[in-house]
Amino acid sequence: MTLIYPATISDIPLIRELTYKIWPQTYAPILTKEQISYMLDIMYSPTALEQQMNDKHYFIIGSDENETPVGFASYSEIEKEIFKLHKLYVLPEKQGSGIGRDLLEYAINDIKFMAAKVLDLNVNRYNLKAKSFYERKGFVIIREEDIDIGSGYFMNDYAMRLYLD
């Protein structure tokens, strides 16, 4: 059973710890070490995470059956009734255990309570494991995006959408 709870600014060190255990293994086959380092610096610095929380990104943390934090997600409203899942990460050794599904379901239930009709996300086009996970959960690809994130780096993503009942 996954225990999920809302994260606060005091959880930033934990989110960073999880990220640094997840990102290198997840993205090493897809991105250069330099790009991974750059993206971690701009998206997961304590300042960046605090700013995201101040900008009303909801962060949640998932723990395993031993109450050990093993994953997290974040999402926010980007337009009226449209939310975006910004992050959903689970430790590699815990992937496939249902924690990612539980984090996603928690986020979906939370945003439905806030009158959401749509949940969007971006996934790296070469992260086939994540893309397949989202497709199994009902997301559909709505377009390809190449997002310039600076310093000559791009995120080559699929924009995906889930229509909520």
Side-chain angles (χ1 to χ4, degrees), residues 128 130-141 160:
L128 301 181
K131 177 183 164 281
S132 294
F133 168 79
Y134 292 122
E135 288 173 331
R136 286 192 310 273
K137 299 303 172 197
F139 285 84
V140 295
I141 295 170
M160 300 183 80

Side-chain angles (χ1 to χ4, degrees), residues 12 14 65 74 88 101-102 119 121 162:
I12 287 175
L14 172 60
E65 64 280 354
S74 78
L88 176 62
R101 176 201 64 222
D102 292 346
L119 179 59
L121 63 83
L162 177 68

Side-chain angles (χ1 to χ4, degrees), residues 73-86:
S74 78
Y75 49 95
S76 70
E77 188 170 29
I78 56 172
E79 292 178 37
K80 183 173 174 39
E81 300 179 340
I82 300 175
F83 281 71
K84 183 163 188 177
L85 181 69
H86 299 285

Side-chain angles (χ1 to χ4, degrees), residues 8-159:
T8 66
I9 288 174
S10 67
D11 291 304
I12 287 175
L14 172 60
I15 293 166
R16 285 177 44 82
E17 178 185 337
L18 288 168
T19 301
Y20 279 81
K21 290 178 179 175
I22 297 167
W23 264 59
Q25 286 185 311
T26 300
Y27 292 110
I30 301 169
L31 305 174
T32 65
K33 287 181 183 178
E34 294 78 15
Q35 183 167 348
I36 292 169
S37 178
Y38 176 78
M39 292 175 73
L40 286 171
D41 286 346
I42 64 168
M43 294 190 291
Y44 288 95
S45 70
T47 302
L49 289 168
E50 186 172 344
Q51 185 61 54
Q52 291 165 40
M53 289 179 178
N54 289 337
D55 289 341
K56 298 193 175 157
H57 287 217
Y58 301 95
F59 278 77
I60 54 176
I61 295 175
S63 297
D64 65 11
E65 64 280 354
N66 299 317
E67 298 185 12
T68 302
V70 296
F72 67 95
S74 78
Y75 49 95
S76 70
E77 188 170 29
I78 56 172
E79 292 178 37
K80 183 173 174 39
E81 300 179 340
I82 300 175
F83 281 71
K84 183 163 188 177
L85 181 69
H86 299 285
K87 305 170 188 341
L88 176 62
Y89 293 104
V90 176
L91 290 173
E93 64 271 19
K94 291 293 186 172
Q95 292 175 6
S97 67
I99 293 169
R101 176 201 64 222
D102 292 346
L103 286 164
L104 180 60
E105 288 175 3
Y106 182 104
I108 288 169
N109 289 331
D110 195 28
I111 67 172
K112 280 182 176 179
F113 183 76
M114 294 183 260
K117 302 286 186 215
V118 170
L119 179 59
D120 287 341
L121 63 83
N122 281 50
V123 64
N124 184 289
R125 290 197 298 264
Y126 305 101
N127 189 344
L128 301 181
K129 187 175 181 180
K131 177 183 164 281
S132 294
F133 168 79
Y134 292 122
E135 288 173 331
R136 286 192 310 273
K137 299 303 172 197
F139 285 84
V140 295
I141 295 170
I142 56 174
R143 68 183 167 274
E144 290 186 12
E145 294 182 335
D146 294 311
I147 303 163
D148 185 344
I149 57 170
S151 294
Y153 297 119
F154 286 83
M155 293 193 311
N156 306 114
D157 290 351
Y158 288 122

